[in-house]
Amino acid sequence: AQTVTQSQPEMSVQEAETVTLSCTYDTSESDYYLFWYKQPPSRQMILVIRQEAYKQQNATENRFSVNFQKAAKSFSLKISDSQLGDAAMYFCALMEYGNKLVFGAGTILRVKS
Amino acid sequence: GAVVSQHPSRVICKSGTSVKIECRSLDFQATTMFWYRQFPKQSLMLMATSNEGSKATYEQGVEKDKFLINHASLTLSTLTVTSAHPEDSSFYICSARDLGTGNNYGYTFGSGTRLTVV
């Protein structure tokens, strides 16, 4: 069974600084997708970044990048130049091909001004 | 981009009554939609997978007679909470996959429904 573990219930970062959110997962498949979703206080789920497991290159979306370590089954999210609007709950999620999403427990990110 | 509309955003109902939540894909067809439940500061728990034209697939521990799912068209899935009780109070979120535009591994989420049973 696929599982996703986020070991940091809460993280804090100073505005303009960099923060890394951790995620590990377990799957028996070789082909799958990984996602980071952001859930602000509005509770709307917003896709931050996604990574295909067959791609070795780490995905990047503006200030957001991932460190994908397939052998270690690790998928961390780095947020650079943190902004107040980045404050939210962040969920790591795994999807095996054609299957449903499995979410981690989430990490609350607080941004200090 | 793909948009999923969920309605209502908030609903208060009396204990013992039923309430229906709608999830619509506005600019794409969704053969599969998903229903989640989320408690405060917790993760999303998948309740069921809604398949157009067929019965929904429920996750273990989810009462299918209490949480009725209907996916009658390619753009609409509904979740009906029957004989609601205060313990059913929660935040319900739907999502759908847009397979038509190349975003074939992405999920789009509705804005959620906060259900309060009094």
Side-chain angles (χ1 to χ4, degrees):
Chain A
Q2 47 184 341
T3 60
V4 178
T5 302
Q6 292 179 250
S7 58
Q8 306 155 316
E10 290 190 27
M11 292 283 285
S12 292
V13 63
Q14 198 70 34
E15 200 175 3
E17 297 294 310
T18 296
V19 64
T20 298
L21 307 184
S22 300
C23 173
T24 58
Y25 61 92
D26 191 24
T27 177
S28 57
E29 300 295 323
S30 59
D31 190 17
Y32 51 88
Y33 299 91
L34 292 160
F35 305 85
W36 278 98
Y37 281 92
K38 169 185 178 181
Q39 188 179 43
S42 68
R43 303 190 79 169
Q44 173 71 57
M45 294 289 284
I46 301 167
L47 177 65
V48 175
I49 200 165
R50 57 181 166 235
Q51 173 84 41
E52 296 95 318
Y54 64 86
K55 290 187 177 179
Q56 293 185 341
Q57 186 173 6
N58 290 324
T60 300
E61 288 287 341
N62 301 314
R63 298 183 295 107
F64 300 88
S65 62
V66 298
N67 183 3
F68 173 48
Q69 301 290 327
K70 190 172 183 179
K73 295 183 178 175
S74 171
F75 183 61
S76 61
L77 174 70
K78 185 171 82 171
I79 306 174
S80 304
D81 186 25
S82 297
Q83 301 174 0
L84 294 177
D86 294 334
M89 186 94 154
Y90 286 81
F91 292 100
C92 178
L94 165 70
M95 186 195 84
E96 295 173 349
Y97 184 76
N99 212 326
K100 56 195 176 188
L101 276 177
V102 174
F103 289 91
T107 298
I108 296 173
L109 177 65
R110 305 187 192 282
V111 181
K112 301 175 182 178
S113 59
Chain B
V3 177
V4 172
S5 174
Q6 187 172 341
H7 180 81
S9 57
R10 290 174 180 265
V11 59
I12 301 173
C13 71
K14 291 185 177 180
S15 186
T17 63
S18 296
V19 61
K20 180 184 287 187
I21 302 170
E22 292 188 348
C23 181
R24 293 180 184 273
S25 56
L26 296 187
D27 49 2
F28 67 99
Q29 293 182 330
T31 56
T32 303
M33 292 186 177
F34 303 88
W35 288 95
Y36 296 86
R37 183 173 182 175
Q38 185 181 31
F39 292 105
K41 295 188 178 181
Q42 293 190 22
S43 188
L44 280 69
M45 180 190 77
L46 180 66
M47 299 175 65
T49 301
S50 171
N51 303 297
E52 188 268 335
S54 64
K55 291 182 179 180
T57 304
Y58 290 82
E59 296 298 303
Q60 192 173 9
V62 177
E63 300 177 61
K64 58 183 179 182
D65 293 331
K66 166 167 273 298
F67 299 100
L68 298 179
I69 291 173
N70 184 280
H71 194 157
S73 77
L74 286 171
T75 58
L76 175 64
S77 175
T78 60
L79 169 67
T80 301
V81 182
T82 62
S83 186
H85 291 283
E87 56 266 30
D88 298 324
S89 299
S90 189
F91 192 69
Y92 295 87
I93 308 175
C94 69
S95 76
R97 291 179 64 191
D98 178 8
L99 301 178
T101 63
N103 184 28
N104 59 2
Y105 45 81
Y107 294 76
T108 302
F109 288 80
S111 54
T113 298
R114 182 183 301 279
L115 170 63
T116 303
V117 184
V118 297

